[in-house]
Amino acid sequence: MVHRIIVSALVSLVLSSFSANAADKDLIRTLYHADFVEYDDEPKDRFTLDGELGVIFASGNTNASSIKSSLKSEHETNVFANQYWVEFLYKQSEVDGEEGRVKQTTAQRLYTYVQSDYKLKVENQRLFVYGDYEDDRFNGYDYRSSIAGGWSQLVWRNEISDFRFSVGPGYSLAKLESGEKAENIHGFIVRASAEYHYIWPTGAKLRQFVSTEAGEDNIKSRTETSLSANLFESLALKLSFIMQHNSNPTDSNTALNTETSVAVVYRFF
């Protein structure tokens, strides 16, 4: 019930942002300046750090609690464009046990990645290096990790939107919970990703991200769609939907996993 109220509030806030007319742009920019991204043709150093926290408690017929938190940082200089991301998810629910209702952890995941782009002399063309690590207690693996490198390009960037992609070869590895090597994961891969941002004049922001790692015996894909709207200054409310798919999962897991969350985002700087 609580999360439905929060989602409804977010949707109402975003819709009201869309309906504002152009004459209100200067006023809204003044009130919500922290969520606007200023672009400049001349490259300059830029560093941002955003923290995200979502907490849901449910009681009654279903007793459960979940926490999702993350940190995202971008650092851009004349030579490099770096992205850093770390995410943590934890969920605890009450289930029927031999001694009645007991609390049990039903989700626990740590996921982090880093991508560094080296800017070439040709405008918006780059070389990238990427690495990630995932520790999910309930996906059948002790850990999963991958590295990749190759070509990256910023297709366009202006006042309201930007689009970039990267593609290149890499290597993926994983270990099963039993301690054995995950044969379907270990090996060379081709990794491709794309990311799109759109900012409405009112400050509401859309982010669409998709990535795929294709190996000989497994294809791992991840998509994230998020919509955020400002509460005030450096604080925003964010609704996100994530899909993760593995073509060859472990025996005890499904191929497709989805996740819907509502969180508060704070921009430190």
Side-chain angles (χ1 to χ4, degrees), residues 193-250:
S193 68
E195 186 171 4
Y196 172 75
H197 297 92
Y198 186 87
I199 305 177
W200 280 272
T202 54
K205 298 199 302 187
L206 169 71
R207 176 179 182 261
Q208 178 64 57
F209 174 81
V210 57
S211 68
T212 297
E213 295 179 3
E216 182 178 356
D217 299 316
N218 185 67
I219 299 176
K220 183 180 76 172
S221 301
R222 175 185 174 96
T223 68
E224 179 179 349
T225 304
S226 63
L227 188 63
S228 63
N230 286 73
L231 298 176
F232 47 83
E233 199 162 317
S234 297
L235 200 65
L237 198 60
K238 176 183 174 183
L239 172 65
S240 61
F241 178 69
I242 298 174
M243 292 192 300
Q244 298 184 86
H245 182 270
N246 282 279
S247 62
N248 190 6
T250 57

Side-chain angles (χ1 to χ4, degrees), residues 22-56:
D24 297 326
K25 180 177 179 179
D26 292 339
L27 175 60
I28 295 172
R29 183 182 292 273
T30 301
L31 294 175
Y32 301 141
H33 67 278
D35 206 41
F36 280 83
V37 178
E38 299 293 342
Y39 294 102
D40 196 337
D41 291 336
E42 294 296 328
K44 58 184 178 180
D45 288 2
R46 181 174 65 90
F47 184 80
T48 63
L49 178 63
D50 295 344
E52 179 180 324
L53 178 63
V55 181
I56 296 178

